[in-house]
Amino acid sequence: MTDPIPVAVPRKGRPLEAVLERIAAVSDDDRLDRLADSVSNTLRYEKAVTKGAVDADGGPYERLAEYSDPETPAEPEFTLLRDDRSGKPRRIVFDAATVDLGDVRVKLVGREEPFRALRTHEFALGFDSADLVLEEVVGIRAAGLGNISDINDRIDPVDTDVRVVTGLGDTVYHTLMGREDDRAPGAAFDREYLADYEGPLCISPRYERLVTAVLGTDALDGVEFVYPDANEEEEAAIARVGLGVYLTVTGSTAREHGLSVGEHLFPSETVLMRNAAETDESVSRVLRALEREAADSEIRV
C-alpha cells in the first residue's frame, strides 16, 4: 500500500472543525462523520479544561492516552502543547489521522501554522485561515478586496508559491460597525461611508495589515488606526471611538454597545491551499478527489 498523502491542518479550533466536516462531506464513509464529531468534542472539552471552565477527572497524560489510538491509522492521535495562557498550561490538541477519500488516502497532520508549513515546502497541501494569507503575503493596493477568489491576484509569486484553492464556507466576517447615534438617517456603515470618512478607526492591532489590504489605501486616506485599551472589549472600544472593524458572527453584542452593524468587508474562513511549486501527481490526486465531490459539497475549486 502506498504511503498516505500528507495534508497540513490546524491543531484546534474552528478551522480544524471546518476541515473535518468538509472531509466527512466529500466521503461516503460514515466513519469520517464519527471522526469529525469525536475530534471536535474532545478538543472543545480540552479547551474548557484549559480555560478552567471544567475540572478534568485525570491528568493530561492520562487523558492523552485515553484519546489517542496510534495503532489504528483511521483513529485520531492527539498531542500535548504548551498553551500561551498565563502559567503556560499543557493543552491537548489534534496531531494526526489517516482518511480515505475514494481511492486517495490522505494523512491529516496537525500543525500550529499550516500556511507557513506550505511556504517552506514542508507540505504541498494544507488548510488554514484566510486571515493569515492576508496578514502575511497579500499585497497592499489602492483598492480593497472583498472575496476569497481575489486573494491569488494579490500574491506576489516572488514572495511565495502558496495559492488558495477554495474556501470552506465556515464564514465569520470582518465587519464595519459604528455608533448608532452617529449614523445619518438612511446611511449605512459601508465602504462608501468609509471613503468619505476622516478620523479614528478602531481595530485589533494584529489585523492592521489585513484591514489595510481589505479596505485599500484610498479608503484609508485620512483614517487613523486606534486600538482597544488593555483589557477593553473590542466592541466597547469601537463604541468609544465611534467606528471600527470587528470579527463578528451575529452582531448581537455589538448592538448591546449601541453599535450598528454595517458591511461585511471580508470573510474570515478556512481555505484549502496548495504550494504551486509542488507538482507531484499525488497533489493532483487529492485535488481531483475533492473536485469529484464538488457538486454535492459545494466546494469552490
Side-chain angles (χ1 to χ4, degrees):
M1 181 179 295
T2 59
D3 292 336
I5 301 161
V7 176
V9 301
R11 288 196 182 277
K12 60 185 183 295
R14 175 175 61 90
L16 175 60
E17 291 188 9
V19 172
L20 294 172
E21 290 170 2
R22 185 60 63 170
I23 291 293
V26 300
S27 173
D28 296 327
D29 191 341
D30 292 339
R31 290 176 298 179
L32 297 188
D33 287 313
R34 293 194 294 273
L35 173 69
D37 290 341
S38 173
V39 172
S40 296
N41 290 337
T42 296
L43 295 182
R44 288 175 187 174
Y45 172 75
E46 287 299 322
K47 180 179 180 180
V49 170
T50 303
K51 286 188 168 184
V54 300
D55 293 324
D57 293 333
Y61 291 103
E62 289 82 5
R63 301 197 307 276
L64 185 64
E66 177 185 348
Y67 300 150
S68 294
D69 184 2
E71 302 302 321
T72 306
E75 295 298 321
E77 297 177 51
F78 296 85
T79 191
L80 275 170
L81 293 180
R82 287 289 181 183
D83 195 270
D84 289 334
R85 299 178 187 275
S86 178
K88 303 291 183 182
R90 289 167 295 185
R91 181 167 180 176
I92 293 176
V93 296
F94 177 76
D95 190 58
T98 300
V99 301
D100 291 323
L101 299 179
D103 60 352
V104 179
R105 174 160 286 196
V106 172
K107 184 170 185 178
L108 305 176
V109 182
R111 284 291 181 268
E112 279 299 286
E113 300 173 334
F115 172 58
R116 290 169 186 151
L118 265 71
R119 293 193 72 185
T120 58
H121 296 255
E122 184 181 353
F123 291 83
L125 293 169
F127 295 87
D128 211 336
S129 170
D131 289 356
L132 282 177
V133 185
L134 268 65
E135 290 168 15
E136 294 204 2
V137 298
V138 165
I140 305 298
R141 297 183 184 175
L145 76 165
N147 299 299
I148 296 293
S149 59
D150 297 333
I151 290 179
N152 288 341
D153 290 338
R154 296 287 185 95
I155 296 177
D156 186 343
V158 175
D159 190 27
T160 181
D161 294 314
V162 178
R163 298 293 181 273
V164 172
V165 178
T166 180
L168 300 193
D170 59 321
T171 308
V172 179
Y173 285 96
H174 295 281
T175 304
L176 186 66
M177 57 182 65
R179 275 195 303 256
E180 180 73 36
D181 294 344
D182 293 347
R183 190 180 61 170
F189 291 118
D190 54 18
R191 291 176 188 264
E192 184 177 351
Y193 177 92
L194 194 61
D196 297 328
Y197 173 81
E198 293 187 358
L201 182 70
C202 186
I203 64 171
S204 170
R206 63 164 290 196
Y207 285 135
E208 183 168 325
R209 192 180 190 283
L210 182 150
V211 171
T212 303
V214 167
L215 294 175
T217 55
D218 280 354
L220 293 174
D221 186 27
V223 171
E224 175 193 4
F225 286 146
V226 296
Y227 313 108
D229 294 333
N231 302 319
E232 184 180 24
E233 293 183 1
E234 290 188 77
E235 286 160 307
I238 293 173
R240 172 174 56 81
V241 171
L243 190 69
V245 177
Y246 183 64
L247 195 62
T248 183
V249 181
T250 65
S252 59
T253 56
R255 286 185 281 272
E256 293 174 3
H257 288 281
L259 295 171
S260 176
V261 178
E263 182 179 349
H264 291 328
L265 300 171
F266 192 84
S268 173
E269 71 183 90
T270 307
V271 291
L272 168 62
M273 300 168 294
R274 70 173 298 177
N275 189 308
E278 302 293 334
T279 58
D280 190 275
E281 172 59 21
S282 62
V283 176
S284 298
R285 288 178 62 209
V286 175
L287 292 177
R288 284 198 298 268
L290 295 173
E291 288 174 332
R292 191 162 57 241
E293 305 289 347
D296 294 330
S297 59
E298 298 181 355
I299 290 181
R300 302 186 301 277
V301 178

